[in-house]
Structure formats: structure tokens, C-alpha cells
Amino acid sequence: MTTNITADRPVLVTGAAGFIGAAMSHALLAKGREVIGVDSLNDYYDPKLKQYRLTALLQHEAFTFERLNLADGAGVKALFAKIDFN
């Protein structure tokens, strides 16, 4: 099995304000990667907790946040047109 991961391309992390997404984003940032975090910031659980995690991530210069629901096909298409993840 081969992987085609290039260190010069940004990494897309979905659910970036959630527990796992935020932890993954921090780990990638610590390895020097550029991270594009996506989250809808819904109220499935306390939005204040999500905002707290997001605020910490936004302290990193290599982190960019896009508020986006992945069910929004046009929004996802626009994101992939703007950023080259390939």
C-alpha cells in the first residue's frame, strides 16, 4: 500500500472543533503541517467547548478555519476549488 501524502500541501481536518479533530489538528501543526479545519459548529454538544478548542487552534499561524457543513455540496466544492488538497 502506498500513500500519496505531500508535506507541502495543506491537510483537511473535518470536525476540527471537536475532541478528535482538534487533537489531530494540534498533532499535525506540531509536525509543521498546514491545517485547514472545517466544522459546522453545531450544538450537538456545548458550542462553548467547541469555540474554546477552535480559539486555541487559531493561535497557530498554519491553521485556517472554514465554518462549513459537509452536507453543503456547493460549500465543499468551493473549498476544494479554493484550496489544493491533492
Side-chain angles (χ1 to χ4, degrees), residues 4-16 21 24-29 31-38 62-66 79-80 83-86:
N4 192 15
I5 299 173
T6 8
D8 61 338
R9 302 278 172 90
V11 178
L12 174 65
V13 176
T14 61
M24 176 59 74
S25 295
H26 281 292
L28 289 164
L29 290 164
K31 291 187 178 287
R33 299 300 304 267
E34 178 184 0
V35 176
I36 309 300
V38 172
F63 182 82
T64 303
F65 178 70
E66 297 281 337
L79 177 64
F80 275 77
I83 302 169
D84 182 14
F85 293 106
N86 294 318

Side-chain angles (χ1 to χ4, degrees), residues 20-79:
I20 295 171
M24 176 59 74
S25 295
H26 281 292
L28 289 164
L29 290 164
K31 291 187 178 287
R33 299 300 304 267
E34 178 184 0
V35 176
I36 309 300
V38 172
D39 202 299
S40 65
L41 298 177
N42 63 29
D43 62 355
Y44 182 74
Y45 60 87
D46 190 356
K48 290 178 190 172
L49 184 53
K50 290 182 178 188
Q51 192 58 53
Y52 173 80
R53 290 185 186 121
L54 187 56
T55 298
L57 286 167
L58 287 168
Q59 301 306 307
H60 295 271
E61 186 176 303
F63 182 82
T64 303
F65 178 70
E66 297 281 337
R67 185 172 184 165
L68 177 66
N69 186 325
L70 293 179
D72 174 4
V76 171
K77 185 175 180 178
L79 177 64

